Structure formats: structure tokens, C-alpha cells
Amino acid sequence: MAHVISTGSGVVLDLIRSGQATTRTDLISQLGWSRITLARRLDELLNAAIIVSAGQSDSRGGRPPEEFVVNKDAGLLLAMDIGGSHSRLAITDLVSTILLEDEADIGLGHGPDDIFDWSCQVFDHMLAQLGKSRADVRGIGVGVPGPVDSASGRIASPQINAQWADVVVKDYFPDDYRAVFAVDRDVNILAVGEHRLGWPEYDDAIVLKVGMGIGCGLVLNGRVYHGGRGGAGDLAHSPSGGDDECLCGRVGCLDTVASGRAIARELLASGAAVRTSADIVALSNSGHEGVAALLKAAGEHIADSLVDPVALLNPSAVVVGGNIAHAGDVFLAPIRERLLQNATAFSRRDLVVIPAKLGHQAGVIGASLIVQDALFEADRISRLTRENGASLAHYGDK
């Protein structure tokens, strides 16, 4: 764990961002500092335009206390959620409120060159719509289709698609982005968004992203768990029977029987025209014969693969997101019923199987949140605000 400057301005900012303490009185109560020390740290944050005074908060009498909030308009964050067949972009303010977004049927198979060329063009267009430029961007958050080495920011190897192995995302963005970069697995950014804004009451959860592939993120004690090399939660390649070879080279992985790819393969064989996970959902919603049965079978396979992780981790919730989850209860109900039927009596007690709340925006919201965390990391803010004249415009890492 990185060293934290215990009396730095970053510690104050953490409390303000979380909402735990937003007034001088509450901050002193939380931190145990003197009023002089707190005043200095607040001045550093105010002078750097990181926080602003939000006026007076409610009070029971006397002079209402001044309240501080993050200066959401001090720059922009770019967010990118790359999926198996579909990707989404968004521009947010500094508290991760979406200002503009775009999407396209471009994904893992197109490779990093095509995806990042497209994203840079679209980001430039959206920035122009907002009357802004690359100089206004403070951070870029990206969810990628594979594990990420947290130490180097490099997409870990091996990858199912060799084009993505050892990619460093920030190398694909122009040098005039003076921005902080944060990169994580696409399912992990989904988990961040759903835990913080969708289902914050569940500090221990398994989060699924089911699209053309299957992703699994783990929220343990309120934090996304990455594992030793960033690959925790690899449910897609758990043994699930069947004779089909997986993209990983093994036979009978869950991905071969329960992913959007597996469903699309069956639909194509029956003559249906499908290419993306959104196509599968559209067929389901139109009442296409056979899709419901395929979604039910996929849900039951996923439930069977979750029995052991649920027993091992004892989560309070299984949150199901991704494009295939938009098919609704025809997909979610089989997961819920089969899992609650087959899980151990203790692990299924009070366990809920619930849909992701943030819908199509969950990934880009999560991507914005992880880069917001990186931009406002406590030690970093403490160091930078001590530099005379430091402001968010100088905080880029590139």
C-alpha cells in the first residue's frame, strides 16, 4: 500500500469526496487536527481549485457552517468501456456525471489500433461539442477485455485475443493529453459502478458481465478484488462440460456453453442473423422462437459455475450485468432459481441475485470513477498542492 501523508490535503479531500465530512467542524472531528492545520489544507485545496465552497449547510441554530465539495467543473474525465462486440464512450465532469456519450459495434476482435483510433476521433468530436479541448481533460479511464497488471498498467498476457497482449493503453492516446490514466478489466469497472452507485448496500458481491463473453468481478469488503496479477474472478474458463474448444485453447469452458458467442453460434446454425449480444437481446424481445430456451440454458450453466465461488466467498449479492442481462428475467430467473437451489444452505441464506442498476452506462460510469480515484489519490494530491501555484491543469501523468 502506498504511503499516505497523514496530515496532507489529500486526506481532507478523501473525506470531502466520500461525504463523510464536508464542514470544518466535521473534518476536525474526523481528523483530530488543529483548526490551523485544517485551514492550511483547505486553503491548498481551494487555491488549486480542487474544492469549492458550496455555501451554508443546514444548522440547528447560530451561524450555518460552510460546506465544501469537489469542484466538478475544474476539468473533464474521459471514460471508455470496451466490450466483446460493443464499446461505449463518455465524457464526465470530475464527480463522474455523464455529460456526453457515444457507442459503436466495435470491440475486442477489432484490435487496439482500430478501437483507440475510433475513440480518439469520437472524443475529439464530443469535446468540441462541449466547447472544450484535450487541454481540459484531467483523466482517462478505460475498461479493457482482459486482466490488467496493476503495477505497470499493461494489459496482462496471455490474452484470448493476441492483439491485446501487453498493450499499454496510454500509448494509444496523443501526447497532448496531459492526463492521468486508469485501466482495469471491463467487468471490474462495471463492479465499481454498481457497488458505489447501484447497490452500495452490498459490500460483498459477485458481479457478472455477460455479453459475447463472460466476465466476473469480485467486490470484497467494499473493494474490487484484483488478485495477485489482476486476473481474479476468471469464471469464464471454469469447466462446464461440452465438447467445444474455447478461445483459450481448452475444451468445455463455461464460455463455450453460456456466453453470447455460444448463444449466437446456436442461433446462426438455425438461420437467425445475429452478430452482437445486442442482436440476441433484440431477438429475445421480439419473441423469436428458441432464444428463450438458449438464454435459460446459459443462465443455468452460469448458476452451476457460481455454486463453488458463492460457497467460498459467501457474498451477499450476485449482480448480473452486461448486454445479455438486458434480456431481463428470461435470463436472470434461471440463474437465481438454479443457484439458490444448488448452493449450500449457509451460502444461500439471504443471498440475492439481482440485475445491474446502471444499465448501459455502468461501464463508462465505472471507468470514470476509477480515473477519478487516480486523479484524487490522497498522497498525490498532498504532494501536488504543496507546490506553489499547483492546479488540476498540472496534474497529468503523461
Side-chain angles (χ1 to χ4, degrees):
M1 180 180 293
H3 172 67
V4 175
I5 301 174
S6 60
T7 58
S9 61
V11 179
V12 179
L13 181 62
D14 271 353
L15 290 172
I16 293 171
R17 287 180 64 216
S18 68
Q20 295 178 65
T22 58
T23 68
R24 293 175 191 270
T25 300
D26 290 343
L27 286 163
I28 288 173
S29 176
Q30 287 274 348
L31 296 167
W33 295 356
S34 70
R35 291 187 178 276
I36 293 175
T37 299
L38 177 63
R40 287 173 178 167
R41 300 301 171 248
L42 286 172
D43 283 345
E44 289 172 356
L45 293 170
L46 288 164
N47 291 337
I50 296 172
I51 63 171
V52 293
S53 172
Q56 310 298 314
S57 62
D58 291 336
S59 173
R60 293 189 176 183
R63 183 180 177 183
E66 184 180 21
E67 194 166 25
F68 299 98
V69 296
V70 172
N71 183 6
K72 64 183 179 63
D73 300 319
L76 299 170
L77 303 176
L78 307 186
M80 185 173 183
D81 177 23
I82 302 169
S85 63
H86 193 86
S87 297
R88 182 178 291 266
L89 309 178
I91 297 181
T92 80
D93 61 20
L94 294 188
V95 295
S96 299
T97 302
I98 292 177
L99 305 176
L100 277 179
E101 58 184 324
D102 204 342
E103 60 185 321
D105 287 336
I106 184 171
L108 174 66
H110 289 80
D113 288 323
D114 286 349
I115 286 181
F116 290 118
D117 282 349
W118 164 73
S119 67
C120 286
Q121 291 177 32
V122 175
F123 279 135
D124 281 345
H125 178 68
M126 289 197 294
L127 285 168
Q129 284 184 274
L130 293 171
K132 303 292 185 178
S133 70
R134 294 174 182 174
D136 297 297
V137 175
R138 304 290 172 252
I140 301 173
V142 182
V144 294
V148 177
D149 187 314
S150 55
S152 65
R154 189 180 297 273
I155 300 180
S157 181
Q159 291 284 322
I160 290 175
N161 186 321
Q163 297 178 86
W164 289 92
D166 296 322
V167 162
V168 177
V169 168
K170 71 178 180 178
D171 291 345
Y172 288 82
F173 283 81
D175 288 337
D176 52 351
Y177 274 116
R178 298 292 299 174
V180 173
F181 279 79
V183 185
D184 204 346
R185 276 199 309 159
D186 55 354
V187 69
N188 285 344
I189 66 170
L190 172 72
V192 169
E194 286 296 332
H195 174 252
R196 291 199 198 171
L197 302 178
W199 298 99
E201 61 266 44
Y202 298 114
D203 276 345
D204 296 278
I206 293 175
V207 181
L208 300 178
K209 181 181 182 182
V210 187
M212 292 307 281
I214 298 172
C216 177
L218 306 175
V219 177
L220 305 179
N221 198 27
R223 301 177 66 87
V224 172
Y225 178 72
H226 291 85
R229 293 188 58 240
D234 189 6
L235 188 74
H237 303 292
S238 58
S240 296
D243 302 320
D244 291 313
E245 183 176 352
C246 182
L247 293 173
C248 73
R250 299 166 62 191
V251 173
C253 293
L254 177 64
D255 200 70
T256 67
V257 295
S259 66
R261 274 187 293 269
I263 296 171
R265 182 183 65 237
E266 297 297 323
L267 290 170
L268 287 167
S270 70
V274 293
R275 188 173 62 88
T276 68
S277 51
D279 293 337
I280 295 170
V281 173
L283 280 177
S284 175
N285 292 340
S286 71
H288 182 278
E289 186 177 351
V291 178
L294 290 171
L295 289 168
K296 179 177 185 291
E300 290 176 345
H301 281 299
I302 290 171
D304 290 343
S305 293
L306 285 171
V307 170
D308 287 342
V310 163
L312 182 67
L313 300 173
N314 190 212
S316 300
V318 173
V319 180
V320 186
N323 276 348
I324 297 296
H326 296 141
D329 230 34
V330 67
F331 178 64
L332 188 65
I335 299 176
R336 181 187 298 113
E337 293 165 7
R338 183 94 159 208
L339 181 57
L340 295 181
Q341 175 187 340
N342 294 333
T344 64
F346 185 85
S347 65
R348 69 171 176 255
R349 186 182 304 163
D350 299 323
L351 177 68
V352 295
V353 180
I354 47 182
K357 271 189 179 178
L358 302 184
H360 294 291
Q361 295 181 329
V364 288
I365 291 173
S368 179
L369 287 170
I370 66 167
V371 76
Q372 185 193 141
D373 289 346
L375 179 68
F376 293 133
E377 189 272 324
D379 241 17
R380 185 168 180 277
I381 291 296
S382 295
R383 289 194 301 270
L384 290 169
T385 53
R386 289 183 181 182
E387 299 174 6
N388 291 331
S391 69
L392 280 174
H394 300 113
Y395 289 1
D397 279 349
K398 190 157 181 175

